[in-house]
Amino acid sequence: MSQSKTLKAEPRTRKGTRHARALRQQGRIPACLLSDGTVAAVEFSIDTHAFMTARRHHVHLFELEIGGGIETALVRDLQWDTFGEAVLHVEFKRVRRDVETDAEVELEFVGHPKTGALNHLVTHVTVRCMPALIPDGIEVPVGHLEQGGLIVARDLKLPEGVQLAIPPETPIANAVLVKIEVEAPVAAAPTAEGTVAA
């Protein structure tokens, strides 16, 4: 079952690259809570350490303290820097604890194919469930695969209360032929007498 984390959000009164850079230097990440069609989007910032710690603990559900109120939300999108080391912006979406929602979950590949090499076709899948039931990850056993074998979304074993939100025939991984390239030996140069040097 997914745990939740409370994050204190500070409203952003200014926008732009310069202001966003200043926030990051202060240890904060620019963020926004998307509109759900009834409530407008909100711009704010969150503490970098608190957010990244929650991510490392596989927290999916967040309680955002904004303007004296609490908004329950999931991360919809993360914008990383060029090197993939720092989060530049977080996009949240509003959810309700009593209403199913779509969430992206990481796949955890277990084992090695009997023959061939494992080829990951996707690393995440989208599932639909109650926010509190979002799994930390979904295990994908691959030890039964032989060269040419394929795993599709319908083969995944999902926790109770969790269902696929992608087509069941979506390819997940396969076992492919391992090609070994052997370099041809270089022919020896002939000597002045026309014989080949040893």
Side-chain angles (χ1 to χ4, degrees):
M1 182 175 292
S2 179
Q3 57 181 323
S4 63
K5 169 71 175 179
T6 299
L7 294 176
K8 293 184 178 180
E10 294 183 359
R12 290 180 62 188
T13 56
R14 291 182 295 168
K15 297 182 180 180
T17 304
R18 182 178 299 178
H19 180 56
R21 187 181 299 115
L23 284 173
R24 297 185 195 106
Q25 292 174 347
Q26 297 166 18
R28 303 193 66 78
I29 304 174
C32 72
L33 181 61
L34 298 175
S35 170
D36 61 359
T38 59
V39 183
V42 181
E43 299 279 346
F44 54 91
S45 68
I46 53 178
D47 181 76
T48 301
H49 177 73
F51 177 74
M52 297 307 295
T53 298
R55 294 283 296 181
R56 285 192 292 271
H57 287 85
H58 303 287
V59 174
H60 301 286
L61 193 62
F62 291 89
E63 303 291 346
L64 302 175
E65 293 186 2
I66 307 175
I70 298 290
E71 294 276 6
T72 304
L74 296 175
V75 173
R76 182 180 180 277
D77 186 58
L78 291 177
Q79 180 185 345
W80 295 83
D81 66 2
T82 306
F83 303 102
E85 298 177 349
V87 175
L88 300 180
H89 187 271
V90 184
E91 189 174 86
F92 291 93
K93 71 170 184 177
R94 291 180 171 89
V95 296
R96 286 175 47 185
R97 287 182 176 271
D98 59 345
V99 176
E100 289 187 337
T101 188
D102 290 355
E104 193 175 74
V105 178
E106 184 176 3
L107 297 177
E108 301 170 359
F109 296 91
V110 180
H112 303 279
K114 290 181 179 179
T115 57
L118 184 64
N119 180 34
H120 305 117
L121 301 174
V122 296
T123 58
H124 295 74
V125 293
T126 303
V127 300
R128 181 173 296 117
C129 61
M130 294 292 185
L133 295 180
I134 299 172
D136 293 339
I138 297 173
E139 287 193 352
V140 186
V142 299
H144 65 286
L145 278 181
E146 296 186 1
Q147 184 179 307
L150 175 69
I151 296 175
V152 297
R154 71 167 66 90
D155 299 325
L156 300 176
K157 293 185 178 180
L158 303 178
E160 185 176 354
V162 179
Q163 58 185 325
L164 287 174
I166 59 175
E169 65 275 10
T170 302
I172 301 298
N174 59 1
V176 298
L177 174 67
V178 179
K179 292 184 178 180
I180 301 177
E181 296 185 359
V182 179
E183 292 185 3
V186 179
T191 62
E193 289 76 14
T195 60
V196 177

